[in-house]
Amino acid sequence: MLACFAGWRLFVAESVINYHEFMSTEGPSNFIRDIIIEDIKSGKYGGRVQTRFPPEPNGYLHIGHAKAICLDFGLAAEFGGKCNLRFDDTNPSKEETEYVNAIMEDVQWLGFQWDGLYYASDYFQQLYEWAIQLITAGKAYVCDLSADEIRAYRGTLTEPGRESPYRNRSVEENLDLFERMKKGEFPDGSRTLRARIDMTSPILNLRDPVMYRILHMDHHRTGNEWCIYPMYDYAHGQSDSIEHVTHSMCTLEFENNRPLYNWFIEQLGIFPSRQYEFDRLALTHTLLSKRKLLKLVEERHVEGWDDPRMPTLSGMRRRGYTPEAIRNFCASVGVSKTNGITQLQQLEYFLRQDLNRIVPRVMCVQKPLRVVIENYPDDLVEEMEAINNPEDSSAGTRTIPFSRTLYIEEDDFREDPPKQFYRLAPGREVRLRYAYLITCKEVIKDSSGRIVELRCTYDPATRGGNTPDGRKVKSTIHWVSAAHALSAEVRLYDNLFVKEDPNDVAEGQDFTANLHPESLQVLHDCKVEPSLRDAAPGTKYQFERLGYYCVDRDSGQRLVFNRTIGLRDTWAKIEKRATTGA
Ligand code: ATP
Ligand code: MG
């Protein structure tokens, strides 16, 4: 336990260091940044820096993409360069305009603005012409092998590949067949265009990779203009080159694609973009794969792409994350050349840090317990002054009505208080935040024995929570006035997956087996202070002593809040330790 605690402290200290590093004008150092500095020094690319962020519009962006965005846009900005947003839309079967729009919204929300906005599909004609150039030079050929056959011919890491029987077609025949592929004369999958490189290369990607396949399918932008579509490897490097991208950053799984990226650029003699790979972000208790997130949406395990439990930027936005928190987190994880796993707590640390700084404090009682102050006048309502944000004096103060009947949190009362429980109990005095000290005199129960009301008294000399005689109370609890409070729904979220690694499943199962059955808990009868009456969707608060919350877009006549993240609750920890013996 002690070691674990020490580890946590160490981690927090490190994050703070990274955070400050990030905030300095220099930017956090990393190997890609070092390469850029070298390139600028040596005058490569004339000292110019051009990057791009190249999402495939086949899903919504997630926190992993945020890391890439911060790097692509951040490095360009740091060195006075430019960053394009380019949709890598070469696969019409999975791409949609809905995703294009969502991606643009999310990039801007995160705080970045692209210089050029492009689509790989803008380059279909150019890519086609380059393919003809490669065929003419004897460097590409039309192959009639099926996808399975191509795979079988390719060989393995230990076995060389075999040459396709179609590899030695004449240039004329290749040009004719490719033209007819384009015209739509052949069915899907019947032919491909392949680069003619080396079937014995130790690099599998260089064993005559496929450049084009036939796909009779409408494209979200080019409609039915094309029925041949370029493969990722044939499109990506050349798209970078067309945009004169100097430093093309992508994740480590593309390391093996780099030789091919370079091969096409060299054969075509076009602008020499270069690719650099960095580690992919992975977070505990969540999944960062559009394909898997799509499955959660399609199978209705979540409400949609912007479900507040999703690691998508739209889900995180709805949950109450700020762009600053996400950017600071991305800076803290840095970039490296080996993949690792980052604790979700690290993200939550930066979230709390930012919210603590900016959001107003208000009072909400999640599980209301009625309190009647017997010696408080029946018809009196006092306005208590409350501080909006102790971290920000410019946020000012507001008033909260106080009256004879209040709600406090059910959890803040114990009829038979255990050791170390310092909140309200029979005969005990506690402070009501910004109001008075009260003492519990009597517990009222219904016929089933459930506690339904507490009878208390207050000390009129303690207004504002001060004790003129200097007597101490061990606890301050939050409350709302029953007659003035507004009803609200509060949605409490927990991790979407129970296991740190959601992919850790028994044979025959998939990651959905690890879904957390109680990742969403809805409280229907919460009470919030009246100042929240007109709270607009997206507005963020700290509910005192409970955590950070934000108004959901479902909020209207009836207020609906999402719990963004809890405060660290010391009592819950003590109690858990007591019950689990941990
Ligand atoms: P997914 O598997 O979620 O679909 P992807 O890599 O296929 O991810 P793209 O739309 O192709 O998604 O990614 C756009 C850019 O974002 C790429 O440069 C990719 O390397 C980067 N990226 C995607 N996921 C992560 C991640 N988890 N961490 C860092 N960068 C990422
Ligand atoms: Mg992809």
Side-chain angles (χ1 to χ4, degrees), residues 52-69 72 86 88 94 103 232 236 248-254 278-283 287-293 339:
R52 89 289 170 260
F53 172 63
E56 184 180 353
N58 61 348
Y60 282 59
L61 297 182
H62 51 61
I63 179 82
H65 293 110
K67 169 172 166 165
I69 292 170
D72 294 328
R86 180 173 73 236
D88 205 346
K94 291 190 279 175
I103 288 169
Y232 170 87
H236 202 89
S248 175
M249 276 83 83
C250 63
T251 34
L252 282 171
E253 70 273 21
F254 291 100
F278 63 91
D279 60 318
R280 207 178 164 84
L281 178 72
L283 273 180
L287 285 170
L288 301 182
S289 148
K290 279 181 285 187
R291 185 175 55 80
K292 290 178 181 170
L293 297 177
N339 282 325

Side-chain angles (χ1 to χ4, degrees), residues 92-126:
S93 66
K94 291 190 279 175
E95 294 156 4
E96 288 174 28
T97 308
E98 175 200 342
Y99 298 139
V100 167
N101 294 333
I103 288 169
M104 292 198 283
E105 186 183 350
D106 288 347
V107 170
Q108 287 175 317
W109 174 74
L110 200 55
F112 297 102
Q113 185 56 55
W114 48 87
D115 292 289
L117 174 64
Y118 301 109
Y119 296 80
S121 56
D122 292 341
Y123 310 139
F124 281 172
Q125 181 60 32
Q126 175 67 77

Side-chain angles (χ1 to χ4, degrees), residues 221 263 269 297:
R221 295 187 80 237
W263 189 86
V297 173

Side-chain angles (χ1 to χ4, degrees), residues 117-251:
L117 174 64
Y118 301 109
Y119 296 80
S121 56
D122 292 341
Y123 310 139
F124 281 172
Q125 181 60 32
Q126 175 67 77
L127 290 169
Y128 172 74
E129 287 167 19
W130 277 335
I132 289 178
Q133 189 182 321
L134 289 174
I135 294 172
T136 307
K139 286 168 182 164
Y141 62 96
V142 174
C143 181
D144 300 0
L145 294 181
S146 68
D148 285 342
E149 287 166 332
I150 289 179
R151 210 170 301 124
Y153 273 71
R154 187 165 51 199
T156 63
L157 278 174
T158 50
E159 245 178 84
R162 280 179 295 144
E163 293 191 353
S164 159
Y166 307 99
R167 196 172 199 261
N168 295 315
R169 275 176 164 152
S170 69
V171 169
E172 290 66 37
E173 190 182 2
N174 281 322
L175 287 173
D176 174 61
L177 286 172
F178 189 50
E179 176 69 14
R180 289 164 60 196
M181 277 169 65
K182 177 176 182 271
K183 279 192 183 144
E185 286 186 27
F186 309 121
D188 290 2
S190 60
R191 289 193 159 91
T192 57
L193 183 72
R194 296 177 68 181
R196 199 164 183 276
I197 309 180
D198 179 2
M199 288 308 291
T200 63
S201 171
I203 300 160
L204 291 176
N205 280 305
L206 294 183
R207 293 184 186 173
D208 291 10
V210 173
M211 294 164 56
Y212 273 92
R213 68 228 159 110
I214 301 172
L215 205 57
H216 292 264
M217 187 173 270
D218 272 7
H219 183 277
H220 76 119
R221 295 187 80 237
T222 58
N224 62 5
E225 198 183 328
W226 297 87
C227 63
I228 52 170
Y229 289 96
M231 303 300 288
Y232 170 87
D233 284 313
Y234 182 65
H236 202 89
Q238 285 90 300
S239 300
D240 283 345
S241 182
I242 290 169
E243 294 171 22
H244 287 201
V245 167
T246 57
H247 302 83
S248 175
M249 276 83 83
C250 63
T251 34

Side-chain angles (χ1 to χ4, degrees), residues 549-569:
Y549 293 72
C550 103
V551 183
D552 190 73
R553 62 167 160 73
D554 290 345
S555 203
Q557 282 287 72
R558 179 174 176 73
L559 288 165
V560 180
F561 294 92
N562 297 316
R563 182 173 66 191
T564 309
I565 182 99
L567 300 172
R568 262 172 268 129
D569 181 339

Side-chain angles (χ1 to χ4, degrees), residues 317-335:
R317 173 166 65 236
R318 187 171 168 197
R319 172 86 168 249
Y321 272 82
T322 61
E324 289 77 6
I326 296 174
R327 292 199 306 261
N328 292 343
F329 164 74
C330 289
S332 82
V333 297
V335 291

